[in-house]
mmCIF file of all heavy atoms in Angstrom:
data_model
loop_
_atom_site.group_PDB
_atom_site.id
_atom_site.type_symbol
_atom_site.label_atom_id
_atom_site.label_comp_id
_atom_site.label_asym_id
_atom_site.label_seq_id
_atom_site.Cartn_x
_atom_site.Cartn_y
_atom_site.Cartn_z
ATOM 1 N N ALA I 115 -17.012 -12.511 17.168
ATOM 2 C CA ALA I 115 -15.641 -11.971 17.009
ATOM 3 C C ALA I 115 -14.744 -12.361 18.111
ATOM 4 O O ALA I 115 -15.193 -12.714 19.214
ATOM 5 C CB ALA I 115 -15.702 -10.422 16.867
ATOM 6 N N ASP I 116 -13.456 -12.393 17.776
ATOM 7 C CA ASP I 116 -12.495 -12.666 18.847
ATOM 8 C C ASP I 116 -12.206 -11.361 19.623
ATOM 9 O O ASP I 116 -12.794 -10.346 19.246
ATOM 10 C CB ASP I 116 -11.227 -13.260 18.208
ATOM 11 C CG ASP I 116 -10.295 -12.347 17.383
ATOM 12 O OD1 ASP I 116 -10.552 -11.047 17.431
ATOM 13 O OD2 ASP I 116 -9.435 -12.788 16.724
ATOM 14 N N PRO I 117 -11.357 -11.439 20.610
ATOM 15 C CA PRO I 117 -11.154 -10.259 21.457
ATOM 16 C C PRO I 117 -10.510 -9.004 20.743
ATOM 17 O O PRO I 117 -10.630 -7.933 21.211
ATOM 18 C CB PRO I 117 -10.175 -10.794 22.572
ATOM 19 C CG PRO I 117 -10.410 -12.241 22.646
ATOM 20 C CD PRO I 117 -10.737 -12.634 21.212
ATOM 21 N N ASP I 118 -10.017 -9.288 19.547
ATOM 22 C CA ASP I 118 -9.406 -8.165 18.832
ATOM 23 C C ASP I 118 -10.311 -7.653 17.660
ATOM 24 O O ASP I 118 -9.856 -6.856 16.931
ATOM 25 C CB ASP I 118 -7.999 -8.538 18.269
ATOM 26 C CG ASP I 118 -7.064 -8.833 19.342
ATOM 27 O OD1 ASP I 118 -6.713 -7.909 20.104
ATOM 28 O OD2 ASP I 118 -6.569 -9.952 19.543
ATOM 29 N N GLY I 119 -11.503 -8.168 17.638
ATOM 30 C CA GLY I 119 -12.467 -7.685 16.628
ATOM 31 C C GLY I 119 -12.445 -8.483 15.318
ATOM 32 O O GLY I 119 -13.194 -8.142 14.398
ATOM 33 N N ASN I 120 -11.590 -9.511 15.191
ATOM 34 C CA ASN I 120 -11.638 -10.298 13.970
ATOM 35 C C ASN I 120 -12.897 -11.149 13.939
ATOM 36 O O ASN I 120 -13.148 -11.894 14.903
ATOM 37 C CB ASN I 120 -10.401 -11.256 13.950
ATOM 38 C CG ASN I 120 -9.109 -10.519 13.843
ATOM 39 O OD1 ASN I 120 -8.866 -9.741 12.907
ATOM 40 N ND2 ASN I 120 -8.250 -10.708 14.888
ATOM 41 N N PRO I 121 -13.665 -11.062 12.915
ATOM 42 C CA PRO I 121 -14.902 -11.795 12.797
ATOM 43 C C PRO I 121 -14.650 -13.339 12.831
ATOM 44 O O PRO I 121 -13.638 -13.837 12.243
ATOM 45 C CB PRO I 121 -15.490 -11.409 11.459
ATOM 46 C CG PRO I 121 -14.899 -10.132 11.150
ATOM 47 C CD PRO I 121 -13.495 -10.164 11.707
ATOM 48 N N VAL I 122 -15.495 -14.063 13.584
ATOM 49 C CA VAL I 122 -15.441 -15.528 13.586
ATOM 50 C C VAL I 122 -16.810 -15.984 13.070
ATOM 51 O O VAL I 122 -17.844 -15.656 13.650
ATOM 52 C CB VAL I 122 -15.187 -16.069 14.986
ATOM 53 C CG1 VAL I 122 -15.252 -17.530 15.059
ATOM 54 C CG2 VAL I 122 -13.848 -15.500 15.541
ATOM 55 N N GLN I 123 -16.741 -16.721 11.942
ATOM 56 C CA GLN I 123 -17.966 -17.255 11.307
ATOM 57 C C GLN I 123 -18.071 -18.672 11.833
ATOM 58 O O GLN I 123 -17.214 -19.489 11.784
ATOM 59 C CB GLN I 123 -17.845 -17.228 9.813
ATOM 60 C CG GLN I 123 -19.205 -17.749 9.168
ATOM 61 C CD GLN I 123 -18.990 -17.943 7.669
ATOM 62 O OE1 GLN I 123 -18.321 -18.885 7.225
ATOM 63 N NE2 GLN I 123 -19.491 -17.030 6.935
ATOM 64 N N ILE I 124 -19.308 -18.964 12.315
ATOM 65 C CA ILE I 124 -19.634 -20.357 12.796
ATOM 66 C C ILE I 124 -20.663 -20.844 11.755
ATOM 67 O O ILE I 124 -21.652 -20.269 11.453
ATOM 68 C CB ILE I 124 -20.306 -20.399 14.172
ATOM 69 C CG1 ILE I 124 -19.313 -19.616 15.138
ATOM 70 C CG2 ILE I 124 -20.671 -21.746 14.644
ATOM 71 C CD1 ILE I 124 -20.130 -19.124 16.344
ATOM 72 N N VAL I 125 -20.322 -22.044 11.096
ATOM 73 C CA VAL I 125 -21.150 -22.447 9.956
ATOM 74 C C VAL I 125 -21.336 -23.937 10.029
ATOM 75 O O VAL I 125 -20.521 -24.716 10.472
ATOM 76 C CB VAL I 125 -20.505 -22.059 8.615
ATOM 77 C CG1 VAL I 125 -19.126 -22.620 8.470
ATOM 78 C CG2 VAL I 125 -21.342 -22.327 7.418
ATOM 79 N N GLN I 126 -22.587 -24.340 9.602
ATOM 80 C CA GLN I 126 -22.896 -25.753 9.511
ATOM 81 C C GLN I 126 -23.632 -26.006 8.221
ATOM 82 O O GLN I 126 -24.287 -25.083 7.699
ATOM 83 C CB GLN I 126 -23.694 -26.268 10.643
ATOM 84 C CG GLN I 126 -25.179 -25.894 10.542
ATOM 85 C CD GLN I 126 -25.971 -26.475 11.687
ATOM 86 O OE1 GLN I 126 -25.867 -25.968 12.792
ATOM 87 N NE2 GLN I 126 -26.768 -27.480 11.440
ATOM 88 N N GLN I 127 -23.456 -27.135 7.556
ATOM 89 C CA GLN I 127 -24.200 -27.552 6.435
ATOM 90 C C GLN I 127 -25.580 -28.053 6.830
ATOM 91 O O GLN I 127 -25.692 -28.721 7.836
ATOM 92 C CB GLN I 127 -23.459 -28.645 5.695
ATOM 93 C CG GLN I 127 -23.575 -28.542 4.248
ATOM 94 C CD GLN I 127 -22.459 -29.285 3.564
ATOM 95 O OE1 GLN I 127 -21.760 -30.039 4.066
ATOM 96 N NE2 GLN I 127 -22.481 -29.115 2.195
ATOM 97 N N LEU I 128 -26.609 -27.658 6.127
ATOM 98 C CA LEU I 128 -27.980 -28.044 6.449
ATOM 99 C C LEU I 128 -28.316 -29.287 5.646
ATOM 100 O O LEU I 128 -27.823 -29.587 4.605
ATOM 101 C CB LEU I 128 -29.004 -26.905 6.147
ATOM 102 C CG LEU I 128 -28.868 -25.708 6.988
ATOM 103 C CD1 LEU I 128 -29.735 -24.552 6.483
ATOM 104 C CD2 LEU I 128 -29.101 -25.990 8.426
#
Side-chain angles (χ1 to χ4, degrees):
D116 72 13
D118 294 299
N120 295 301
V122 175
Q123 182 189 76
I124 306 158
V125 60
Q126 80 180 73
Q127 217 161 8
L128 295 173

